[in-house]
Amino acid sequence: MSTETVTVINNLTGERYELPLRQGTLGPPAVDISSLYQESGLLTYDPGFMSTASCHSSITYIDGEQGILLYRGYPIEQLAAKASFLEVAYLLIYGELPTASELADFEQVIRRHTMLNENLKSFLNGFHYDAHPMAILVGVVGSLSAFYHDSLRINDPRHREISAHRLIAKVPTIAAAAYKHSIGEPIIYPRNDLRYCANLLHMMFATPCEEYRPSLLAERALNLLLILHADHEQNASTSTVRLAASSGANPFACIAAGIASLWGPAHGGANEAVIAMLTEIGRVENIPKYIAKAKDKDDPFRLMGFGHRVYKNYDPRAKILREVCHQVLGELADTNNPLFELAMRLEEIALSDDYFIERRLYPNVDFYSGIIYQALGIPRNMFTVMFAVARTVGWVAHWLEMMSDPNNRIGRPRQIYRGPVKRDYLPISQR
Ligand code: CMC
């Protein structure tokens, strides 16, 4: 830890407090305020955690000014171009890229955990046919703790690892089952001879009466999308997982909490919302009307897939996906895809508008991901589910990191109380 300090002066009392600065390997230094309340009786106020580092982490680094994203130090562009999703999962969880034999072992372990307990099927069948697959995913992942309680000793590293493997292996099976349930088709079992992404596509699109062989293009595109979505440091859902885990809750419950947080349109729900928005805009001529709506403070409409809390430059993931959109649509002979045309025009118009320039609002990862998912035949209500499949790896990596941190304490923010001051109870007849 650095010996540099920051001095805080309370102008009301003239008291001074020396607060240590903490510096990571990259990124801005952080003022350590953990002792401030004890020493001064002062709290800090930071709604939305605009200036708060909530933990130490060695998993993912983002430079929002430069548009840089690193997983364990490796640039996202290199991983996206060269790695497989499970290779990236291994990297995020264990900290290093696997050797060939480590990767083969990891793939084998994940493959061996892809099946669901048969009784989970009746749980799935309890959902109404038109339930949103995210609702099913939250519920069924949360219920895993009732089925796999043989690995729930969270203070045992081996139990933690087994739960981690189970989550990474079973969430895709549940995701595909949620989809099958929503279209009234039987659940398709995983196939251990297929790679992770091919298996997910197989579970979604095969039927008991018809084989499904995913194209290499679809498998490659899904692999890339999952890598780009795998982790993003202390975002809302990851922070939710960490907060839930800080109380000692079991990993399945914590990941279910993360899925719930991801669902919102300001977070992972944005990929679904982007396609809904582009469909509503419909034609290039309508773009100015929607840009005006997005700028109007009295209108709740926002350009979905635009803006990011950390990136004040082009989101590097969006840059990759824009390029991949061209490739995927080209290979599918869908080069005139009207939604992609519309998205590119919308981006061009927004990026030349003062409102977006001043606020440094750029397309984020979700601006183009939905177009690729749609081109692969994945239905709109499954986009956020696919995001959750990918992010499960990040959530699990953060959970493991946190559980092995000896300084882990229950997360317990304070508040500025604005309610009534103390008053006496009045009998109902006197109110
Ligand atoms: N359209 C129009 N105005 C926007 C947008 C947008 N998409 N995003 C931000 N702004 C404006 C906002 O109104 C505010 O203006 P002003 O300063 O005049 O009040 C300013 O830009 C700053 O916005 P903010 O809401 O304070 O920024 P934030 O960091 O709290 O929110 C965000 C970040 C991602 C929630 C927000 O940009 C947003 O709602 N974007 C649309 C939803 C979206 O695409 N979400 C996916 C995020 S990336 C993937 C993921 O996290 O899962």
Side-chain angles (χ1 to χ4, degrees), residues 47-48 50 229 232 235-237 261-262 264-271 273-274 277 290-291 293-297 299-312 315 317 355-356 358-367 384 387 391:
M50 303 283 288
H229 277 127
H232 216 226
N235 55 85
S237 56
S261 169
L262 184 78
H267 193 7
N271 52 13
V274 168
M277 175 190 75
Y290 283 87
I291 294 271
K293 272 166 74 66
K295 290 156 62 171
D296 180 356
K297 289 289 159 217
D299 190 325
F301 176 79
R302 282 188 164 199
L303 269 199
M304 299 315 287
F306 252 77
H308 196 273
R309 169 62 61 77
V310 185
Y311 293 120
K312 301 302 165 198
D315 179 337
R317 303 166 301 171
Y355 174 94
F356 293 88
E358 281 160 18
R359 289 168 181 75
R360 303 171 74 191
L361 300 170
Y362 290 86
N364 60 50
V365 66
D366 287 328
F367 194 64
T384 313
F387 192 159
R391 189 56 61 85

Side-chain angles (χ1 to χ4, degrees), residues 362-379:
Y362 290 86
N364 60 50
V365 66
D366 287 328
F367 194 64
Y368 289 110
S369 64
I371 294 173
I372 303 180
Y373 279 131
Q374 199 167 50
L376 298 181
I378 291 169

Side-chain angles (χ1 to χ4, degrees), residues 303-328:
L303 269 199
M304 299 315 287
F306 252 77
H308 196 273
R309 169 62 61 77
V310 185
Y311 293 120
K312 301 302 165 198
N313 200 325
Y314 214 102
D315 179 337
R317 303 166 301 171
K319 206 177 275 175
I320 296 170
L321 284 181
R322 192 181 198 273
E323 204 39 52
V324 169
C325 260
H326 278 292
Q327 287 165 16
V328 171

